[in-house]
Amino acid sequence: MSPRPMVRPGGRSARVQASVHAAVRELESEVGREALTVPLVATRAGVTPSTIYRRWGDLQELLSDVAVERLRPETPPEDKGNLRSDLGAWAEQFLEEMVSPSGRDYIRDALLGNPDGSNAGQCSAYAAEQIDVILARAAGRGEDTPAVETVLDRVVAPVMYRVLFRPDQLDAAYAHRLVTGFLGAPA
């Protein structure tokens, strides 16, 4: 597999990526995932199928690339005033997004369409960036903060395991139990 080309902001490659991603999203809602084909996406995006094959390799790699973009957080984590509240609110939102049908599809696509793991790694980096924002705010308030990797291990990893393998009974309470189990009960 050849590496993906670098995308110049505003360049032709960025325009192609944006139009192909938009075509995938539109067609998923119109005809469903099962009906997606590279020629169908290419026609909607206004590119040739060879453009998609050259850039993404196959439909699954394209879906993986779209999934990574869809899993990118759109806003910084909410500031609730303290580490426990910030992390609890973020964990709840993260769980809700991941356990939703579209979230589960995006996770699957990110994992399956990119055998070298770079897309899954990018998704992990998004979570780490959000956690880093939360921890930096808490440190700025003078709170003791754990390492980002520790939060990933104690909060994100259990959520992802459960979403992938045991998705029943996942709710906001579960996310808050993880945070409480990690940070301890409120004083």
Side-chain angles (χ1 to χ4, degrees):
M1 174 182 3
S2 62
R4 291 204 178 104
M6 297 275 298
V7 177
R8 290 186 323 252
R12 181 183 185 284
S13 185
R15 288 190 302 275
V16 166
Q17 179 177 347
S19 67
V20 170
H21 280 213
V24 168
R25 290 189 303 270
E26 292 166 6
L27 288 166
E28 276 183 322
S29 67
E30 292 172 18
V31 301
R33 295 173 54 78
E34 299 76 28
L36 288 180
T37 64
V38 168
L40 184 64
V41 171
T43 298
R44 175 63 63 94
V47 300
T48 64
S50 64
T51 298
I52 292 176
Y53 289 122
R54 200 171 34 254
R55 169 123 186 200
W56 287 280
D58 62 21
L59 182 62
Q60 190 59 58
E61 283 191 50
L62 171 58
L63 293 176
S64 181
D65 195 48
V66 171
V68 170
E69 282 303 308
R70 296 302 296 265
L71 291 169
R72 178 190 308 268
E74 295 178 4
T75 59
E78 192 173 351
D79 187 347
K80 298 280 196 174
N82 63 65
L83 176 59
R84 176 181 311 284
S85 297
D86 287 358
L87 194 55
W90 180 84
E92 180 180 339
Q93 180 182 2
F94 179 76
L95 183 140
E96 286 174 4
E97 290 171 0
M98 296 301 111
V99 81
S100 72
S102 61
R104 291 176 53 108
D105 286 343
Y106 296 145
I107 293 166
R108 184 183 63 245
D109 288 341
L111 295 173
L112 293 177
N114 189 242
D116 72 358
S118 61
N119 281 351
Q122 183 57 56
C123 294
S124 177
Y126 294 153
E129 290 166 6
Q130 294 273 294
I131 293 165
D132 192 46
V133 168
I134 291 168
L135 298 179
R137 277 197 306 239
R141 291 187 295 255
E143 297 177 72
D144 289 332
T145 59
V148 170
E149 290 297 318
T150 304
V151 178
L152 288 170
D153 290 344
R154 300 286 302 275
V155 178
V156 176
V159 166
M160 293 306 296
Y161 177 85
R162 293 288 304 270
V163 166
L164 290 170
F165 301 112
R166 299 177 59 93
D168 296 334
Q169 300 175 343
L170 288 179
D171 56 14
Y174 175 74
H176 288 280
R177 283 194 307 275
L178 288 174
V179 171
T180 298
F182 170 53
L183 295 176

